[in-house]
Amino acid sequence: MAKSPEEEHPQKAFGWAARDSSGVLSPFHFSRRENGEEDVTIKILYCGVCHSDLHIVKNDWGFTRFPVVPGHEIVGVVTKTGKNVKKFKVGDRVGVGVLVGSCKKCDSCQQDLENYCPQVIFTYNSLYHDGTITYGGYSDAVVVEERYVLRFPDNLPPDAGAPLLCAGITVYSPMKYYGMTEPGKHLGVAGLGGLGHVAVKFGKAFGLRVTVISTSPKKEDEAINRLGADAFLVSSDPAKMKVAMGTMDYIIDTVSAVHALAPLLGLLKLNGKLVTLGLPDKPLELPIFPLVLGRKLVGGSDVGGMKETQEMLDFCAEHGITADIELIRMENVNMAMERLAKSDVRYRFVIDVANSLSQ
Ligand code: NAP
Ligand code: ZN
């Protein structure tokens, strides 16, 4: 018979887990594997709350393995290193993002695109090489193979920097891959949440003109005055949307729910590019006429590989890019999830794990 989460590994661990699709999180005792020769053990300081955590605890995608400990925007300190570990030593500040394993042999892994490896192992809700379920960063410590651990730059704050490990790389990678970085071009960012607000900051760092496309008129002032966007469009305002038709070179769509793509395609110029990053529980409808008649492109993208994630962190350190966060204690995580579901977050919740996780 399979061992319980508390007994399957030798190291005791503690975190918060959702037990069923109510999504309600509560204290959870489990265990972590022994620190292997290639592994580092990390004491977790902070962990961001991504909308993917919410999708998973609610079983929106239908493949949640309960109990689930979410969390893939982890910043912590190394407390143990295996004998073959070269990049890290005890006391180093490090990050862990969305993935903790891959096959290392396939074309994707060979090209530093471990995130697209067919055998990618996610930080939580995946089966690890040994057949046990991975548990994420809403917990006291994690054991991760060195290859999947990032150096966390000294001048990035560990709390406001944590969301870069998912939200940051998720918007940075497609901007690079799809060539959405040409200074002076016009970027639209649909959905001003965790991913969206970081996309605004990268857009400005790349020298783009940035317009936020939002369902929340009350975010306008902050979008412009705090986040540095150049303009703000309320997607439910047909008159303003009409004026903006055909003005954008690129759009990054971070909307977490089912929504219409036609208005976004309409905002693009000839040859415009729309990258969809949100992962709603049902398919979106793709209108073909505006695509064909405007030679437009629709693409997707899934976080980023380890090399590019490190590059992104270093870029953020150089340009002073961090997330705007609401720091919360672990016992308030259910409230945070409820607010996230209502698009009511400025603009990422981060859990102060080390100071609030008590047994
Ligand atoms: P978030 O903080 O909740 O932001 C999503 C934003 O979408 C909201 O703030 C809201 O912005 C807008 N929105 C929500 N419901 C909407 C609706 N019904 N119609 C129109 N707009 C709506 O979420 P996030 O953490 O940024 O994640 C966004 C999505 O990306 C999620 O689906 C998540 O799972 C996915 N994701 C994908 C990847 C990847 O690798 N591709 C990585 C991480 C996350 P406004 O208030 O401005 O309208
Ligand atoms: Zn995420």
Side-chain angles (χ1 to χ4, degrees), residues 15-19 24-28 334:
W16 278 46
R19 266 60 179 205
V24 174
L25 292 132
S26 55
F28 176 61
N334 290 308

Side-chain angles (χ1 to χ4, degrees), residues 5 8 16-25 28 30 52-71 98 100 118-136:
E8 63 192 357
W16 278 46
R19 266 60 179 205
D20 55 50
S21 61
S22 70
V24 174
L25 292 132
F28 176 61
F30 63 107
S52 298
D53 302 351
L54 178 59
H55 287 306
I56 283 281
V57 299
K58 294 277 186 190
N59 200 16
D60 282 350
W61 301 325
F63 54 75
T64 304
R65 298 177 160 106
F66 293 105
V68 63
V69 177
V98 173
V100 291
Q119 293 172 50
V120 63
I121 300 170
F122 294 111
T123 305
Y124 61 82
N125 198 53
S126 263
L127 284 186
Y128 200 66
H129 300 297
D130 61 6
T132 62
I133 295 172
T134 57
Y135 296 113

